[in-house]
Amino acid sequence: MKTLGLALGGGGVRGLAHALVLEALDDMGCRPSVIAGTSIGAIMGALYASGMPGKTIRKNIQRNIISREDTWHDIFNKRSDLLKVVRTVTFERGPGGTFKPDRFLNFLLADVHKKTFEELDIPLLVIAADYWSGEEIVLKAGALLPALKASIAIPGVFAPVKIGNRELLDGGIVDLVPYEHILDRCDVSIAVNVAGTRTPGRNRTPNVWESVLGSFQLMQEVTLSEKMKRRRPDINVHPRIIDVPLLAFGKTAQVLRQSAPAIKEMKKQIAEILRRS
């Protein structure tokens, strides 16, 4: 039986599409033997590696959003969960960054009762960037929460995280989709890129916030494109997520809806590989 490796990329709220990937793998009976994750991909990977099924992750996400399919009755039933989200995204200010992510991460990982990498059901590699050296840092042992905080430390949004003698930032700075770390550890590699695309605005200049985060994404995409020229994963999943800003959590339903066609295509590719094996 072929072993499967999974790399989950960064992309803010767009990374919630990873839940559909995980659910699809469960539906097909394909359990990854290793997961590498950057930023939101690291968080989703941690949820799954801790033993949470993809379907549960997806349902937890949908319970905390309002979609266009929801009736007033659905919204009423979700009210307590929605209030939790509102309280969570009111971030605390912290030194070295605009916000502290502690409350947000604690909310996302509330059902994860495993505190270290060693306790996880599936080996997990979390990607971060060393601020001073510019190195890509792979975290895979010890306490889980500090590693995840480091991997999502978007410059200017969250403060750097000190682990050992290193000041660590968002892994997407150096490795948006960390598939190279799984290529030699599995038979079939799947990379999920949730970078998204933007529609040019007519007669509108991007504001400062859009310019900073948009430029950050452009640099990530150029780096990933160069990496793809050298060595590619067996399956490259790139959902067409359009006009969803990095932190636009109000557009979660749109992310899930736009990602569905790419997940369907991924299942076809996996089925073909399994058929040939």
Side-chain angles (χ1 to χ4, degrees), residues 76-132:
F76 181 80
N77 288 336
K78 292 181 179 182
R79 67 192 185 284
S80 62
D81 296 306
L82 294 171
L83 285 172
K84 289 179 186 176
V85 175
V86 171
R87 287 193 291 267
T88 298
V89 296
T90 307
F91 297 104
E92 303 170 51
R93 289 187 178 275
T98 306
F99 303 113
K100 290 174 63 178
D102 301 64
R103 288 166 63 187
F104 180 56
L105 266 180
N106 288 335
F107 169 72
L108 286 177
L109 301 172
D111 295 322
V112 176
H113 304 296
K114 299 178 180 179
K115 306 303 181 184
T116 67
F117 282 88
E118 290 78 9
E119 295 175 77
L120 297 174
D121 298 343
I122 301 171
L124 176 68
L125 311 175
V126 171
I127 308 303
D130 186 309
Y131 174 77
W132 296 110

Side-chain angles (χ1 to χ4, degrees), residues 1-58:
M1 182 67 177
K2 289 184 179 293
T3 57
L4 178 72
L6 182 63
L8 302 176
V13 67
R14 299 182 294 266
L16 298 180
H18 293 318
L20 299 184
V21 173
L22 299 170
E23 185 175 11
L25 293 178
D26 285 343
D27 289 344
M28 300 185 74
C30 297
R31 180 181 174 85
S33 59
V34 61
I35 300 173
T38 291
S39 199
I40 187 67
I43 294 175
M44 301 298 280
L47 290 170
Y48 191 73
S50 72
M52 186 178 296
K55 185 176 183 179
T56 300
I57 297 172
R58 191 255 306 160

Side-chain angles (χ1 to χ4, degrees), residues 98-99 154-157 206-215 245-247:
T98 306
F99 303 113
I154 303 168
V157 179
N207 60 37
V208 173
W209 188 244
E210 291 171 332
S211 297
V212 171
L213 293 182
S215 299
L246 191 72
L247 301 176

Side-chain angles (χ1 to χ4, degrees), residues 19 23 53-65 78 256:
E23 185 175 11
K55 185 176 183 179
T56 300
I57 297 172
R58 191 255 306 160
K59 284 187 173 182
N60 285 348
I61 292 170
Q62 291 180 316
R63 193 174 67 235
N64 294 297
I65 62 172
K78 292 181 179 182
L256 298 179

